[in-house]
Amino acid sequence: MELNCVQFLENKTILVTGATGFLAKGMHKLYLLVRASNDEAATKRLRTEVFEKDLFKVLRENLGDEKLNRLLYDKVVSVPGDIATDEQLGMNDSNLIERMQKEIDIVVNVAATTNFDERYDVGLEINAFGALNILNFAKKCVRAQLLLHVSTAYVCGEKPGFLPENLIFLEDIRNEDGLRLDINFERELMKERLKELKEQDCSEEDITLAMKELGMERAKLHGWPNTYVFTKSMGEMLLGNHKENLPLVIIRPTMITSTFSEPFPGWIEGLRTIDSVVVAFGKGRLKCFLANPNSVLDLIPVDMVANAMVTAATIHAGNLGSQTVYHVGSSFKNPITFEQVHDLAARYFTINPLVGRDGSPIIVSKGTIFSTMAQFSFYVTLRYK
C-alpha cells in the first residue's frame, strides 16, 4: 500500500492532548490542550516547556526564529483545559468549544499519568475516565474521522507468550477467583475511600500514600502489576465499549526511548523507564542489577512511535466503525537483552564518562548482573552487612 502521510495531513485540523511535538506545515490548524488555568498560562507553558526546547532547534535553524514563530502563531492554538474534568475537557469558552467541534478532523490522545504507583484517584480520572471524556468530545466533532489513543503495550498485564493486537473487552476480565472487573465500582470504591480519609482529617501526605496503596492493591487483585497499566487498561475498555461508529486506533508502544533520527538523534525529555537506570550506572551509583541477563527488553525510539501514529491515522481515518490496535515495539525483530544494554552502557561511559561535582570524570566499573535473588542477597550481605 502506497501512503502519502504529508498529503493526508494537508488542511487537516487536529486536536492533540498531552503531547506537543506534532507539527506539519500543510496542516490547517493544531489545537493543543494544555493543563493550565487560562489562555495566558497555556500559551506560556507551551512556549517554555515545548517550543523553546532543543526538540525545535532544527526548525529554528532552518526557518529562523521569526518564521518559526509566525508558523506556530498561524497553525497552533493553545487551549487551557484538563481531560479529567468533564466531557468539555475542562474548557470554559463556549465559542471556542463550538468552533473546535466544527473544525476538528482528527483527535489524538496522548494525555496520561505514567507513574507506576500513581494515586488511584488520579490514575482513574486521567487514564481511564479521561480517555472516555476525550471520546465523548470527539463524538461531538461533526467532521471527526478518527480518535487515535496512545496506550501502552503493558496493558496486557503479566500474561506470557505472544500478545494479540486486540481490544481488551471488559466482560472478559476475571481474576483467578472469578471476580469480574467493574470499572464504575472501582470509581465508587475510590471515591468512598477518599471521602473516608478526608473525614478522618488525614494529612495530604497520608491521603496520597493511602490512595497509592489502594491503586496497587486493586491492580494486583485484578491481575495487573501496577496502577499505571491497570488504569490504562480500563481506559482502553471504556473506549471499546463506548466508541459507537467513530473510527478508533489504539497505539501501544513499549518502553519509549530517545529519538533515533528525527528531528535529530538522541533527544529525550527527562528520564523515563530505562533511562534512569542507565544514568544511575553512569554516575557510578548502580553497582549491580537484579535481572535475568538473557531477558529481552523492548525499547522503541520516540520518533518511531510518532511515525507509527501518523501512518495509522493515514490508513484508518474515515473508516466508520473500525477499531484497530497496533503494538509499536522492537523485541520481535530486533531484540536486545539486559546483558547487551549493560555492556553498551559500560562501553559508552568508559569512553564518555560523566563529570562529577568536583569536575573529575566518574570512572565506572562494569558491575554485575545477578540472575537470582539468592545471588543478589549474598552480594548485599557481603558488601553492606
Side-chain angles (χ1 to χ4, degrees):
M1 178 187 295
E2 184 176 340
L3 297 175
N4 189 326
C5 296
V6 174
Q7 186 176 21
F8 167 74
L9 292 171
E10 193 77 25
N11 293 320
K12 289 289 190 300
T13 297
I14 300 176
L15 167 65
V16 181
T17 69
T20 43
F22 190 101
L23 190 66
K25 290 184 182 179
M27 283 170 30
H28 174 64
K29 192 175 293 182
L30 185 64
Y31 287 104
L32 298 180
L33 189 75
V34 181
R35 291 187 69 179
S37 56
N38 53 50
D39 291 340
E40 183 180 353
T43 302
K44 181 179 179 181
R45 188 176 174 198
L46 269 184
R47 186 181 70 252
T48 58
E49 296 184 22
V50 180
F51 299 137
E52 292 178 0
K53 295 291 185 180
D54 282 349
L55 182 64
F56 282 82
K57 74 177 185 180
V58 175
L59 276 174
R60 289 199 178 277
E61 290 169 359
N62 291 341
L63 298 177
D65 286 343
E66 185 178 342
K67 283 187 178 179
L68 178 59
N69 291 336
R70 188 163 61 246
L71 174 65
L72 295 174
Y73 180 81
D74 290 342
K75 300 291 184 181
V76 179
V77 179
S78 57
V79 180
D82 187 346
I83 66 165
T85 304
D86 51 36
E87 293 182 5
Q88 305 294 352
L89 309 182
M91 295 182 287
N92 298 317
D93 187 336
S94 58
N95 292 327
L96 174 62
I97 293 171
E98 183 179 356
R99 186 165 74 248
M100 290 171 66
Q101 290 177 342
K102 287 180 179 178
E103 294 180 1
I104 288 170
D105 301 293
I106 308 291
V107 177
V108 180
N109 178 36
V110 195
T113 173
T114 58
N115 297 325
F116 286 2
D117 65 340
E118 182 61 88
R119 286 177 50 146
Y120 199 33
D121 52 332
V122 175
L124 271 175
E125 296 303 341
I126 295 177
N127 292 345
F129 288 95
L132 182 60
N133 287 338
I134 291 164
L135 171 67
N136 288 329
F137 183 86
K139 288 195 288 189
K140 295 175 183 175
C141 296
V142 294
R143 295 176 46 172
Q145 301 177 36
L146 180 73
L147 169 60
L148 193 153
H149 173 74
V150 178
S151 184
T152 170
Y154 304 104
V155 291
C156 60
E158 297 177 308
K159 296 176 183 176
F162 287 101
L163 303 169
E165 293 180 319
N166 295 332
L167 284 174
I168 304 171
F169 293 103
L170 181 58
E171 53 270 23
D172 296 335
I173 305 302
R174 293 179 183 272
N175 69 4
E176 293 179 354
D177 298 325
L179 178 65
R180 186 171 176 176
L181 175 62
D182 183 330
I183 298 178
N184 289 321
F185 173 79
E186 293 297 322
R187 194 183 203 184
E188 292 305 313
L189 177 71
M190 172 272 291
K191 288 181 177 179
E192 186 61 32
R193 180 68 177 130
L194 195 57
K195 179 183 176 184
E196 290 173 2
L197 292 166
K198 290 181 177 179
E199 288 175 348
Q200 293 168 9
D201 201 25
C202 294
S203 67
E204 193 60 32
E205 184 179 350
D206 287 339
I207 291 175
T208 295
L209 180 60
M211 295 309 292
K212 284 187 174 185
E213 290 175 348
L214 178 63
M216 295 295 280
E217 173 190 312
R218 299 306 294 180
K220 291 176 180 178
L221 175 67
H222 289 288
W224 278 267
N226 57 60
T227 309
Y228 166 58
V229 294
F230 181 42
T231 53
K232 289 294 286 185
S233 299
M234 287 191 277
E236 284 197 19
M237 296 173 205
L238 289 170
L239 293 179
N241 282 7
H242 297 279
K243 61 175 287 298
E244 297 175 2
N245 284 327
L246 181 67
L248 171 67
V249 169
I250 294 176
I251 299 288
R252 293 178 183 161
T254 53
M255 282 191 285
I256 298 178
T257 60
S258 57
T259 53
F260 174 69
S261 60
E262 296 294 336
F264 54 88
W267 176 84
I268 195 166
E269 179 81 348
L271 297 178
R272 306 174 188 277
T273 59
I274 194 67
D275 314 300
S276 56
V277 176
V278 173
V279 170
F281 175 78
K283 290 182 176 181
R285 296 176 181 172
L286 191 64
K287 306 293 186 182
C288 64
F289 199 77
L290 177 62
N292 181 342
N294 296 318
S295 287
V296 173
L297 287 165
D298 201 309
L299 309 175
I300 188 73
V302 63
D303 49 337
M304 291 186 176
V305 178
N307 290 341
M309 292 166 62
V310 175
T311 304
T314 304
I315 293 172
H316 296 286
N319 296 336
L320 289 181
S322 66
Q323 50 190 34
T324 313
V325 176
Y326 289 106
H327 290 163
V328 186
S330 61
S331 62
F332 183 70
K333 288 192 173 181
N334 189 29
I336 187 169
T337 64
F338 273 104
E339 186 170 34
Q340 288 173 311
V341 170
H342 186 225
D343 289 345
L344 288 168
R347 285 165 49 191
Y348 178 84
F349 289 115
T350 299
I351 300 171
N352 307 281
L354 296 178
V355 177
R357 291 182 179 178
D358 61 357
S360 60
I362 299 173
I363 307 302
V364 298
S365 58
K366 186 174 179 182
T368 307
I369 298 179
F370 295 107
S371 58
T372 69
M373 182 60 78
Q375 292 174 340
F376 179 70
S377 298
F378 183 65
Y379 169 84
V380 170
T381 301
L382 285 179
R383 185 173 178 89
Y384 298 107
K385 291 186 178 180

PDB file of all heavy atoms in Angstrom, residues 161-190:
ATOM      1  N   GLY A 161       3.761 -15.229  26.649  1.00  0.00           N
ATOM      2  CA  GLY A 161       3.558 -15.609  25.248  1.00  0.00           C
ATOM      3  C   GLY A 161       3.286 -14.426  24.343  1.00  0.00           C
ATOM      4  O   GLY A 161       3.434 -13.268  24.722  1.00  0.00           O
ATOM      5  N   PHE A 162       2.882 -14.740  23.107  1.00  0.00           N
ATOM      6  CA  PHE A 162       2.562 -13.696  22.137  1.00  0.00           C
ATOM      7  C   PHE A 162       1.263 -12.993  22.522  1.00  0.00           C
ATOM      8  O   PHE A 162       0.309 -13.633  22.960  1.00  0.00           O
ATOM      9  CB  PHE A 162       2.436 -14.295  20.732  1.00  0.00           C
ATOM     10  CG  PHE A 162       3.746 -14.690  20.128  1.00  0.00           C
ATOM     11  CD1 PHE A 162       4.149 -16.018  20.119  1.00  0.00           C
ATOM     12  CD2 PHE A 162       4.591 -13.744  19.575  1.00  0.00           C
ATOM     13  CE1 PHE A 162       5.365 -16.392  19.578  1.00  0.00           C
ATOM     14  CE2 PHE A 162       5.801 -14.101  19.027  1.00  0.00           C
ATOM     15  CZ  PHE A 162       6.198 -15.431  19.025  1.00  0.00           C
ATOM     16  N   LEU A 163       1.238 -11.691  22.328  1.00  0.00           N
ATOM     17  CA  LEU A 163       0.079 -10.896  22.719  1.00  0.00           C
ATOM     18  C   LEU A 163      -0.593 -10.337  21.474  1.00  0.00           C
ATOM     19  O   LEU A 163       0.028  -9.605  20.704  1.00  0.00           O
ATOM     20  CB  LEU A 163       0.516  -9.749  23.630  1.00  0.00           C
ATOM     21  CG  LEU A 163       1.252 -10.224  24.887  1.00  0.00           C
ATOM     22  CD1 LEU A 163       1.881  -9.047  25.607  1.00  0.00           C
ATOM     23  CD2 LEU A 163       0.317 -10.973  25.807  1.00  0.00           C
ATOM     24  N   PRO A 164      -1.851 -10.686  21.244  1.00  0.00           N
ATOM     25  CA  PRO A 164      -2.534 -10.237  20.022  1.00  0.00           C
ATOM     26  C   PRO A 164      -2.849  -8.745  20.056  1.00  0.00           C
ATOM     27  O   PRO A 164      -3.011  -8.152  21.126  1.00  0.00           O
ATOM     28  CB  PRO A 164      -3.832 -11.063  20.024  1.00  0.00           C
ATOM     29  CG  PRO A 164      -4.068 -11.379  21.473  1.00  0.00           C
ATOM     30  CD  PRO A 164      -2.714 -11.519  22.092  1.00  0.00           C
ATOM     31  N   GLU A 165      -2.931  -8.160  18.883  1.00  0.00           N
ATOM     32  CA  GLU A 165      -3.285  -6.737  18.763  1.00  0.00           C
ATOM     33  C   GLU A 165      -4.804  -6.610  18.738  1.00  0.00           C
ATOM     34  O   GLU A 165      -5.410  -6.252  17.734  1.00  0.00           O
ATOM     35  CB  GLU A 165      -2.635  -6.135  17.514  1.00  0.00           C
ATOM     36  CG  GLU A 165      -1.117  -6.066  17.598  1.00  0.00           C
ATOM     37  CD  GLU A 165      -0.475  -5.468  16.356  1.00  0.00           C
ATOM     38  OE1 GLU A 165      -0.925  -5.796  15.243  1.00  0.00           O
ATOM     39  OE2 GLU A 165       0.479  -4.687  16.495  1.00  0.00           O
ATOM     40  N   ASN A 166      -5.411  -6.896  19.879  1.00  0.00           N
ATOM     41  CA  ASN A 166      -6.865  -6.865  20.007  1.00  0.00           C
ATOM     42  C   ASN A 166      -7.265  -5.924  21.130  1.00  0.00           C
ATOM     43  O   ASN A 166      -6.512  -5.696  22.076  1.00  0.00           O
ATOM     44  CB  ASN A 166      -7.418  -8.263  20.318  1.00  0.00           C
ATOM     45  CG  ASN A 166      -7.189  -9.239  19.175  1.00  0.00           C
ATOM     46  OD1 ASN A 166      -7.102  -8.836  18.015  1.00  0.00           O
ATOM     47  ND2 ASN A 166      -7.069 -10.508  19.496  1.00  0.00           N
ATOM     48  N   LEU A 167      -8.496  -5.403  21.025  1.00  0.00           N
ATOM     49  CA  LEU A 167      -9.046  -4.633  22.131  1.00  0.00           C
ATOM     50  C   LEU A 167      -9.249  -5.532  23.339  1.00  0.00           C
ATOM     51  O   LEU A 167      -9.450  -6.745  23.215  1.00  0.00           O
ATOM     52  CB  LEU A 167     -10.391  -4.026  21.738  1.00  0.00           C
ATOM     53  CG  LEU A 167     -10.365  -2.804  20.816  1.00  0.00           C
ATOM     54  CD1 LEU A 167     -11.782  -2.424  20.423  1.00  0.00           C
ATOM     55  CD2 LEU A 167      -9.698  -1.621  21.503  1.00  0.00           C
ATOM     56  N   ILE A 168      -9.184  -4.930  24.526  1.00  0.00           N
ATOM     57  CA  ILE A 168      -9.488  -5.641  25.766  1.00  0.00           C
ATOM     58  C   ILE A 168     -10.962  -5.420  26.064  1.00  0.00           C
ATOM     59  O   ILE A 168     -11.420  -4.278  26.175  1.00  0.00           O
ATOM     60  CB  ILE A 168      -8.628  -5.119  26.926  1.00  0.00           C
ATOM     61  CG1 ILE A 168      -7.138  -5.225  26.581  1.00  0.00           C
ATOM     62  CG2 ILE A 168      -8.923  -5.880  28.199  1.00  0.00           C
ATOM     63  CD1 ILE A 168      -6.243  -4.536  27.587  1.00  0.00           C
ATOM     64  N   PHE A 169     -11.719  -6.493  26.191  1.00  0.00           N
ATOM     65  CA  PHE A 169     -13.154  -6.370  26.445  1.00  0.00           C
ATOM     66  C   PHE A 169     -13.426  -6.560  27.931  1.00  0.00           C
ATOM     67  O   PHE A 169     -12.977  -7.532  28.540  1.00  0.00           O
ATOM     68  CB  PHE A 169     -13.941  -7.384  25.617  1.00  0.00           C
ATOM     69  CG  PHE A 169     -13.871  -7.111  24.141  1.00  0.00           C
ATOM     70  CD1 PHE A 169     -13.049  -7.871  23.322  1.00  0.00           C
ATOM     71  CD2 PHE A 169     -14.594  -6.074  23.573  1.00  0.00           C
ATOM     72  CE1 PHE A 169     -12.969  -7.621  21.966  1.00  0.00           C
ATOM     73  CE2 PHE A 169     -14.515  -5.807  22.210  1.00  0.00           C
ATOM     74  CZ  PHE A 169     -13.702  -6.582  21.413  1.00  0.00           C
ATOM     75  N   LEU A 170     -14.158  -5.633  28.484  1.00  0.00           N
ATOM     76  CA  LEU A 170     -14.419  -5.612  29.915  1.00  0.00           C
ATOM     77  C   LEU A 170     -15.048  -6.916  30.401  1.00  0.00           C
ATOM     78  O   LEU A 170     -14.692  -7.438  31.460  1.00  0.00           O
ATOM     79  CB  LEU A 170     -15.335  -4.430  30.250  1.00  0.00           C
ATOM     80  CG  LEU A 170     -15.707  -4.213  31.719  1.00  0.00           C
ATOM     81  CD1 LEU A 170     -14.456  -4.026  32.565  1.00  0.00           C
ATOM     82  CD2 LEU A 170     -16.624  -3.008  31.862  1.00  0.00           C
ATOM     83  N   GLU A 171     -15.974  -7.453  29.600  1.00  0.00           N
ATOM     84  CA  GLU A 171     -16.687  -8.659  30.038  1.00  0.00           C
ATOM     85  C   GLU A 171     -15.780  -9.884  30.127  1.00  0.00           C
ATOM     86  O   GLU A 171     -16.154 -10.896  30.736  1.00  0.00           O
ATOM     87  CB  GLU A 171     -17.866  -8.962  29.112  1.00  0.00           C
ATOM     88  CG  GLU A 171     -17.510  -9.035  27.639  1.00  0.00           C
ATOM     89  CD  GLU A 171     -17.628  -7.712  26.926  1.00  0.00           C
ATOM     90  OE1 GLU A 171     -17.552  -6.660  27.600  1.00  0.00           O
ATOM     91  OE2 GLU A 171     -17.793  -7.726  25.697  1.00  0.00           O
ATOM     92  N   ASP A 172     -14.583  -9.807  29.544  1.00  0.00           N
ATOM     93  CA  ASP A 172     -13.664 -10.943  29.581  1.00  0.00           C
ATOM     94  C   ASP A 172     -12.738 -10.925  30.792  1.00  0.00           C
ATOM     95  O   ASP A 172     -11.988 -11.877  31.012  1.00  0.00           O
ATOM     96  CB  ASP A 172     -12.788 -10.965  28.309  1.00  0.00           C
ATOM     97  CG  ASP A 172     -13.611 -11.189  27.049  1.00  0.00           C
ATOM     98  OD1 ASP A 172     -14.704 -11.775  27.158  1.00  0.00           O
ATOM     99  OD2 ASP A 172     -13.157 -10.767  25.968  1.00  0.00           O
ATOM    100  N   ILE A 173     -12.776  -9.857  31.579  1.00  0.00           N
ATOM    101  CA  ILE A 173     -11.800  -9.693  32.653  1.00  0.00           C
ATOM    102  C   ILE A 173     -12.324 -10.283  33.959  1.00  0.00           C
ATOM    103  O   ILE A 173     -13.254  -9.769  34.573  1.00  0.00           O
ATOM    104  CB  ILE A 173     -11.440  -8.209  32.856  1.00  0.00           C
ATOM    105  CG1 ILE A 173     -10.954  -7.596  31.547  1.00  0.00           C
ATOM    106  CG2 ILE A 173     -10.395  -8.064  33.947  1.00  0.00           C
ATOM    107  CD1 ILE A 173      -9.750  -8.285  30.951  1.00  0.00           C
ATOM    108  N   ARG A 174     -11.726 -11.396  34.335  1.00  0.00           N
ATOM    109  CA  ARG A 174     -11.977 -12.016  35.637  1.00  0.00           C
ATOM    110  C   ARG A 174     -10.651 -12.426  36.241  1.00  0.00           C
ATOM    111  O   ARG A 174      -9.756 -12.868  35.532  1.00  0.00           O
ATOM    112  CB  ARG A 174     -12.885 -13.255  35.501  1.00  0.00           C
ATOM    113  CG  ARG A 174     -14.307 -12.947  35.058  1.00  0.00           C
ATOM    114  CD  ARG A 174     -15.122 -14.225  34.938  1.00  0.00           C
ATOM    115  NE  ARG A 174     -16.465 -13.959  34.449  1.00  0.00           N
ATOM    116  CZ  ARG A 174     -17.503 -13.655  35.225  1.00  0.00           C
ATOM    117  NH1 ARG A 174     -17.329 -13.584  36.538  1.00  0.00           N
ATOM    118  NH2 ARG A 174     -18.690 -13.421  34.724  1.00  0.00           N
ATOM    119  N   ASN A 175     -10.521 -12.279  37.564  1.00  0.00           N
ATOM    120  CA  ASN A 175      -9.265 -12.686  38.185  1.00  0.00           C
ATOM    121  C   ASN A 175      -9.287 -14.183  38.506  1.00  0.00           C
ATOM    122  O   ASN A 175     -10.235 -14.902  38.141  1.00  0.00           O
ATOM    123  CB  ASN A 175      -8.980 -11.846  39.435  1.00  0.00           C
ATOM    124  CG  ASN A 175      -9.954 -12.134  40.580  1.00  0.00           C
ATOM    125  OD1 ASN A 175     -10.806 -13.021  40.487  1.00  0.00           O
ATOM    126  ND2 ASN A 175      -9.818 -11.392  41.661  1.00  0.00           N
ATOM    127  N   GLU A 176      -8.248 -14.668  39.182  1.00  0.00           N
ATOM    128  CA  GLU A 176      -8.130 -16.107  39.445  1.00  0.00           C
ATOM    129  C   GLU A 176      -9.280 -16.630  40.288  1.00  0.00           C
ATOM    130  O   GLU A 176      -9.611 -17.824  40.235  1.00  0.00           O
ATOM    131  CB  GLU A 176      -6.793 -16.387  40.137  1.00  0.00           C
ATOM    132  CG  GLU A 176      -5.580 -16.124  39.244  1.00  0.00           C
ATOM    133  CD  GLU A 176      -4.279 -16.383  39.960  1.00  0.00           C
ATOM    134  OE1 GLU A 176      -4.318 -16.650  41.195  1.00  0.00           O
ATOM    135  OE2 GLU A 176      -3.215 -16.319  39.312  1.00  0.00           O
ATOM    136  N   ASP A 177      -9.894 -15.764  41.091  1.00  0.00           N
ATOM    137  CA  ASP A 177     -11.022 -16.188  41.934  1.00  0.00           C
ATOM    138  C   ASP A 177     -12.370 -16.002  41.239  1.00  0.00           C
ATOM    139  O   ASP A 177     -13.419 -16.196  41.861  1.00  0.00           O
ATOM    140  CB  ASP A 177     -11.009 -15.399  43.245  1.00  0.00           C
ATOM    141  CG  ASP A 177      -9.750 -15.665  44.059  1.00  0.00           C
ATOM    142  OD1 ASP A 177      -9.272 -16.815  44.024  1.00  0.00           O
ATOM    143  OD2 ASP A 177      -9.245 -14.731  44.696  1.00  0.00           O
ATOM    144  N   GLY A 178     -12.334 -15.607  39.964  1.00  0.00           N
ATOM    145  CA  GLY A 178     -13.567 -15.422  39.221  1.00  0.00           C
ATOM    146  C   GLY A 178     -14.218 -14.065  39.402  1.00  0.00           C
ATOM    147  O   GLY A 178     -15.327 -13.829  38.907  1.00  0.00           O
ATOM    148  N   LEU A 179     -13.536 -13.151  40.123  1.00  0.00           N
ATOM    149  CA  LEU A 179     -14.095 -11.819  40.345  1.00  0.00           C
ATOM    150  C   LEU A 179     -14.043 -11.012  39.060  1.00  0.00           C
ATOM    151  O   LEU A 179     -13.000 -10.881  38.433  1.00  0.00           O
ATOM    152  CB  LEU A 179     -13.307 -11.097  41.443  1.00  0.00           C
ATOM    153  CG  LEU A 179     -13.741  -9.659  41.757  1.00  0.00           C
ATOM    154  CD1 LEU A 179     -15.153  -9.644  42.330  1.00  0.00           C
ATOM    155  CD2 LEU A 179     -12.756  -8.999  42.711  1.00  0.00           C
ATOM    156  N   ARG A 180     -15.179 -10.461  38.668  1.00  0.00           N
ATOM    157  CA  ARG A 180     -15.269  -9.698  37.441  1.00  0.00           C
ATOM    158  C   ARG A 180     -14.961  -8.223  37.687  1.00  0.00           C
ATOM    159  O   ARG A 180     -15.377  -7.648  38.703  1.00  0.00           O
ATOM    160  CB  ARG A 180     -16.675  -9.840  36.854  1.00  0.00           C
ATOM    161  CG  ARG A 180     -16.843  -9.200  35.488  1.00  0.00           C
ATOM    162  CD  ARG A 180     -18.183  -9.583  34.894  1.00  0.00           C
ATOM    163  NE  ARG A 180     -18.426  -8.913  33.642  1.00  0.00           N
ATOM    164  CZ  ARG A 180     -19.483  -9.127  32.877  1.00  0.00           C
ATOM    165  NH1 ARG A 180     -20.389 -10.013  33.254  1.00  0.00           N
ATOM    166  NH2 ARG A 180     -19.645  -8.469  31.750  1.00  0.00           N
ATOM    167  N   LEU A 181     -14.254  -7.608  36.781  1.00  0.00           N
ATOM    168  CA  LEU A 181     -13.901  -6.199  36.903  1.00  0.00           C
ATOM    169  C   LEU A 181     -15.098  -5.326  36.564  1.00  0.00           C
ATOM    170  O   LEU A 181     -15.737  -5.504  35.529  1.00  0.00           O
ATOM    171  CB  LEU A 181     -12.729  -5.867  35.977  1.00  0.00           C
ATOM    172  CG  LEU A 181     -12.310  -4.394  35.896  1.00  0.00           C
ATOM    173  CD1 LEU A 181     -11.846  -3.877  37.250  1.00  0.00           C
ATOM    174  CD2 LEU A 181     -11.222  -4.199  34.846  1.00  0.00           C
ATOM    175  N   ASP A 182     -15.410  -4.385  37.439  1.00  0.00           N
ATOM    176  CA  ASP A 182     -16.478  -3.409  37.229  1.00  0.00           C
ATOM    177  C   ASP A 182     -15.850  -2.026  37.390  1.00  0.00           C
ATOM    178  O   ASP A 182     -15.516  -1.607  38.501  1.00  0.00           O
ATOM    179  CB  ASP A 182     -17.598  -3.626  38.248  1.00  0.00           C
ATOM    180  CG  ASP A 182     -18.786  -2.690  38.039  1.00  0.00           C
ATOM    181  OD1 ASP A 182     -18.583  -1.564  37.548  1.00  0.00           O
ATOM    182  OD2 ASP A 182     -19.916  -3.083  38.376  1.00  0.00           O
ATOM    183  N   ILE A 183     -15.677  -1.294  36.280  1.00  0.00           N
ATOM    184  CA  ILE A 183     -14.959  -0.021  36.322  1.00  0.00           C
ATOM    185  C   ILE A 183     -15.711   1.021  37.141  1.00  0.00           C
ATOM    186  O   ILE A 183     -15.110   1.788  37.903  1.00  0.00           O
ATOM    187  CB  ILE A 183     -14.690   0.494  34.899  1.00  0.00           C
ATOM    188  CG1 ILE A 183     -13.800  -0.499  34.145  1.00  0.00           C
ATOM    189  CG2 ILE A 183     -14.022   1.870  34.935  1.00  0.00           C
ATOM    190  CD1 ILE A 183     -13.517  -0.124  32.712  1.00  0.00           C
ATOM    191  N   ASN A 184     -17.032   1.051  37.020  1.00  0.00           N
ATOM    192  CA  ASN A 184     -17.813   2.017  37.803  1.00  0.00           C
ATOM    193  C   ASN A 184     -17.712   1.724  39.296  1.00  0.00           C
ATOM    194  O   ASN A 184     -17.646   2.653  40.114  1.00  0.00           O
ATOM    195  CB  ASN A 184     -19.271   2.008  37.356  1.00  0.00           C
ATOM    196  CG  ASN A 184     -19.445   2.628  35.978  1.00  0.00           C
ATOM    197  OD1 ASN A 184     -18.802   3.621  35.650  1.00  0.00           O
ATOM    198  ND2 ASN A 184     -20.294   2.029  35.158  1.00  0.00           N
ATOM    199  N   PHE A 185     -17.680   0.432  39.647  1.00  0.00           N
ATOM    200  CA  PHE A 185     -17.490   0.065  41.053  1.00  0.00           C
ATOM    201  C   PHE A 185     -16.124   0.531  41.551  1.00  0.00           C
ATOM    202  O   PHE A 185     -15.995   1.019  42.682  1.00  0.00           O
ATOM    203  CB  PHE A 185     -17.621  -1.446  41.243  1.00  0.00           C
ATOM    204  CG  PHE A 185     -17.270  -1.914  42.627  1.00  0.00           C
ATOM    205  CD1 PHE A 185     -18.182  -1.786  43.658  1.00  0.00           C
ATOM    206  CD2 PHE A 185     -16.025  -2.466  42.899  1.00  0.00           C
ATOM    207  CE1 PHE A 185     -17.858  -2.204  44.951  1.00  0.00           C
ATOM    208  CE2 PHE A 185     -15.681  -2.886  44.173  1.00  0.00           C
ATOM    209  CZ  PHE A 185     -16.609  -2.756  45.212  1.00  0.00           C
ATOM    210  N   GLU A 186     -15.095   0.366  40.702  1.00  0.00           N
ATOM    211  CA  GLU A 186     -13.760   0.808  41.087  1.00  0.00           C
ATOM    212  C   GLU A 186     -13.748   2.313  41.357  1.00  0.00           C
ATOM    213  O   GLU A 186     -13.105   2.777  42.309  1.00  0.00           O
ATOM    214  CB  GLU A 186     -12.743   0.468  39.982  1.00  0.00           C
ATOM    215  CG  GLU A 186     -12.508  -1.008  39.774  1.00  0.00           C
ATOM    216  CD  GLU A 186     -11.912  -1.703  40.985  1.00  0.00           C
ATOM    217  OE1 GLU A 186     -11.051  -1.096  41.657  1.00  0.00           O
ATOM    218  OE2 GLU A 186     -12.311  -2.836  41.278  1.00  0.00           O
ATOM    219  N   ARG A 187     -14.466   3.060  40.550  1.00  0.00           N
ATOM    220  CA  ARG A 187     -14.516   4.514  40.743  1.00  0.00           C
ATOM    221  C   ARG A 187     -15.225   4.873  42.041  1.00  0.00           C
ATOM    222  O   ARG A 187     -14.774   5.744  42.795  1.00  0.00           O
ATOM    223  CB  ARG A 187     -15.213   5.172  39.555  1.00  0.00           C
ATOM    224  CG  ARG A 187     -15.029   6.676  39.486  1.00  0.00           C
ATOM    225  CD  ARG A 187     -15.806   7.254  38.325  1.00  0.00           C
ATOM    226  NE  ARG A 187     -15.266   8.543  37.892  1.00  0.00           N
ATOM    227  CZ  ARG A 187     -15.819   9.289  36.949  1.00  0.00           C
ATOM    228  NH1 ARG A 187     -16.897   8.856  36.313  1.00  0.00           N
ATOM    229  NH2 ARG A 187     -15.276  10.452  36.602  1.00  0.00           N
ATOM    230  N   GLU A 188     -16.353   4.205  42.301  1.00  0.00           N
ATOM    231  CA  GLU A 188     -17.101   4.468  43.531  1.00  0.00           C
ATOM    232  C   GLU A 188     -16.302   4.059  44.762  1.00  0.00           C
ATOM    233  O   GLU A 188     -16.324   4.750  45.800  1.00  0.00           O
ATOM    234  CB  GLU A 188     -18.451   3.744  43.498  1.00  0.00           C
ATOM    235  CG  GLU A 188     -19.421   4.296  42.473  1.00  0.00           C
ATOM    236  CD  GLU A 188     -19.647   5.795  42.637  1.00  0.00           C
ATOM    237  OE1 GLU A 188     -19.876   6.228  43.799  1.00  0.00           O
ATOM    238  OE2 GLU A 188     -19.587   6.529  41.634  1.00  0.00           O
ATOM    239  N   LEU A 189     -15.595   2.930  44.660  1.00  0.00           N
ATOM    240  CA  LEU A 189     -14.742   2.478  45.757  1.00  0.00           C
ATOM    241  C   LEU A 189     -13.661   3.518  46.047  1.00  0.00           C
ATOM    242  O   LEU A 189     -13.379   3.835  47.211  1.00  0.00           O
ATOM    243  CB  LEU A 189     -14.104   1.135  45.401  1.00  0.00           C
ATOM    244  CG  LEU A 189     -13.124   0.546  46.425  1.00  0.00           C
ATOM    245  CD1 LEU A 189     -13.872   0.063  47.654  1.00  0.00           C
ATOM    246  CD2 LEU A 189     -12.337  -0.619  45.814  1.00  0.00           C
ATOM    247  N   MET A 190     -13.066   4.036  44.993  1.00  0.00           N
ATOM    248  CA  MET A 190     -12.030   5.063  45.147  1.00  0.00           C
ATOM    249  C   MET A 190     -12.599   6.300  45.829  1.00  0.00           C
ATOM    250  O   MET A 190     -12.004   6.851  46.761  1.00  0.00           O
ATOM    251  CB  MET A 190     -11.452   5.409  43.767  1.00  0.00           C
ATOM    252  CG  MET A 190     -10.509   6.594  43.748  1.00  0.00           C
ATOM    253  SD  MET A 190     -11.358   8.194  43.516  1.00  0.00           S
ATOM    254  CE  MET A 190     -11.907   8.055  41.823  1.00  0.00           C
TER     255      MET A 190
END
